[in-house]
Amino acid sequence: MHETTILLIEVGALLLLLGLLGRLSRRFGVSPIPLYLLAGLAFGHGGLLPLNASEEFFAVGAEIGVILLLVMLGLEYSANELVGNLRSAAPAGLIDAVLNALPGFGFALLLGWGWVAAVVLAGVTWVSSSGVIAKVLGDLGRVGNRETPVILSVLVIEDLAMALYLPLVTALLAGVGLMKGGIALAIAVFTVVVVLAVAIRYGHLISAALSAKDPEALLLGVLGLTLLIAGVAAKLQVSAAVGAFLVGIALSGPVAHHATELLSPLRDLFAAVFFVFFGLVTNPLDMPPVLLPALLLAVVTMATKVATGYLAARRVGIAEPGRWRTGLALTPRGEFSIVIAGLAVSALYPVDPKLAALATAYVLITVVTGPLLARLPDTQWFKQWLRTRAAAAARTPAPLPAPTGD
């Protein structure tokens, strides 16, 4: 059978299956992300029925899915809101880095993998998945919630930090000297600053160039601009996701409103492809030997991520339920963690081969558990637990004033 014919059959069958799984998940009121991942595992390397002809299609589709998820997030906020949130969330970003990178760093050292592998695993455990979290927030209808800007601020700081981290870790894995590593880092910093400055200062000109009155021209213009900037950012060793997000915040007014409506169906399609592809490239047979260490690392770092979100939300005065929603929503790891593990495996001087399997199992655990944990604050028993905590705190007598000594 012709390869194109096989491609059409595989892609069509898998998309049809995703549609049925999505309908099934919504019927039971749960996120479809875990089902998409399991479908990818079933039809990927080592799965029940490997789909070889369509792997390249899903690889490109997955990349577009992450880009669309991030540009849609960017469309929700203006440039001024972004700068304000970044300033206010900088301490939270520092806490996030310390609490979530150190467990991965220490875990690799305990396993005897060396300090380069420790730097790699620190990045894997540090960064939450912007793609998964964006999808979860949309599924749960929390995009307009008060805690959502806090979540986005932490994610943006992580993504911007990755723009600096990825060139550094690439240089470490390549065994290059300080000079070459410093050049790569300087290019990354310069690119982020230029793109951010253009988005903030000239965003209104970009919006004016895209007419909101012609839906077809607007769709092509916004999609083309987003892919172009994301590709240029990736070429310059900066995250394509960061580039897409900055395009989103550069657009405003009617253009942003209509672009959101036009891009939403495309985002849903390619986001599903992204999660399927993640499962396709993961061999289920590699999971068992590293499952226990990955589970232990996942439990520790999900707890530290919940603490990060809770503290970040408390800093800006969000009430108790919102603090828990923030922390629990931040727990999934995803695309960046896989990218970092991939760099380690394909490096000129690769680190311990067990790291890739551990990272994959770790991400799979957190990406399946994360969307389920994000729903926890909506359950009746969790709300009752919060009410009990609040009642107990109200019954606790206030401390007596200190004696004056007269």
Side-chain angles (χ1 to χ4, degrees):
M1 193 180 298
H2 195 275
E3 187 173 347
T4 305
T5 306
I6 299 175
L7 174 68
L8 290 175
I9 292 173
E10 289 185 357
V11 172
L14 197 50
L15 291 181
L16 177 61
L17 176 64
L18 295 183
L20 296 173
L21 290 175
R23 185 180 177 188
L24 180 68
S25 66
R26 287 181 176 83
R27 188 178 183 87
F28 290 98
V30 299
S31 171
I33 292 174
L35 296 180
Y36 293 161
L37 288 168
L38 291 176
L41 283 174
F43 296 104
H45 302 292
L48 299 174
L49 183 62
L51 303 180
N52 298 320
S54 56
E55 184 172 323
E56 187 175 351
F57 171 86
F58 280 99
V60 176
E63 187 71 21
I64 294 175
V66 173
I67 289 170
L68 286 176
L69 284 168
L70 268 294
V71 74
M72 294 290 286
L73 274 181
L75 287 170
E76 297 287 337
Y77 299 93
S78 69
N80 290 330
E81 287 172 333
L82 173 71
V83 173
N85 286 336
L86 287 179
R87 285 174 179 165
S88 63
L94 183 60
I95 293 172
D96 178 36
V98 172
L99 287 183
N100 297 287
L102 281 182
F105 190 89
F107 204 77
L109 291 181
L110 285 175
L111 292 174
W113 289 350
W115 69 274
V116 174
V119 173
V120 172
L121 198 55
V124 170
T125 58
W126 174 10
V127 188
S128 298
S129 171
S130 303
V132 175
I133 293 170
K135 178 68 174 169
V136 169
L137 292 177
D139 287 345
L140 298 180
R142 295 183 187 168
V143 172
N145 280 20
R146 192 181 169 208
E147 75 272 9
T148 299
V150 179
I151 296 172
L152 294 182
S153 300
V154 173
L155 293 178
V156 171
I157 289 176
E158 287 181 352
D159 285 352
L160 292 176
M162 283 298 103
L164 310 179
Y165 169 86
L166 288 178
L168 271 182
V169 81
T170 303
L172 283 177
L173 291 167
V176 302
L178 288 177
M179 178 65 73
K180 199 167 182 179
I183 292 172
L185 180 60
I187 292 173
V189 172
F190 177 76
T191 306
V192 170
V193 171
V194 167
V195 174
L196 191 57
V198 170
I200 293 174
R201 295 180 64 87
Y202 305 106
H204 64 287
L205 297 178
I206 299 173
S207 297
L210 300 168
S211 172
K213 297 178 181 177
D214 186 341
E216 182 180 346
L218 179 62
L219 174 63
L220 292 174
V222 173
L223 185 60
L225 179 64
T226 302
L227 294 178
L228 175 65
I229 297 299
V232 171
K235 184 69 176 176
L236 296 173
Q237 302 295 322
V238 180
S239 163
V242 171
F245 182 82
L246 294 177
V247 170
I249 66 164
L251 301 177
S252 58
V255 168
H257 176 71
H258 290 294
T260 301
E261 294 179 343
L262 292 170
L263 288 174
S264 292
L266 283 178
R267 175 203 56 187
D268 294 341
L269 169 62
F270 285 102
V273 170
F274 163 69
F275 295 115
V276 169
F277 178 73
F278 187 77
L280 285 176
V281 297
T282 303
N283 190 339
L285 300 178
D286 292 339
M287 300 296 104
V290 295
L291 199 55
L292 191 57
L295 184 62
L296 176 62
L297 188 62
V299 170
V300 171
T301 54
M302 283 193 289
T304 54
K305 192 62 86 171
V306 171
T308 299
Y310 187 96
L311 294 173
R314 191 174 70 175
R315 281 192 68 254
V316 296
I318 292 177
E320 186 86 0
R323 297 173 194 172
W324 285 102
R325 285 196 297 270
T326 305
L328 292 167
L330 285 169
T331 55
R333 272 71 163 186
E335 59 274 9
F336 269 131
S337 300
I338 293 299
V339 168
I340 295 167
L343 288 174
V345 173
S346 60
L348 183 61
Y349 303 101
V351 297
D352 195 299
K354 293 178 183 173
L355 187 144
L358 174 68
T360 305
Y362 169 79
V363 171
L364 193 59
I365 292 169
T366 58
V367 86
V368 170
T369 310
L372 300 176
L373 288 176
R375 301 184 65 86
L376 212 55
D378 295 337
T379 60
Q380 286 303 318
W381 73 264
F382 196 89
K383 291 177 180 176
Q384 181 59 42
W385 177 69
L386 287 178
R387 283 194 288 267
T388 305
R389 271 171 54 93
R395 285 195 300 270
T396 303
L400 295 174
T404 57
D406 54 358

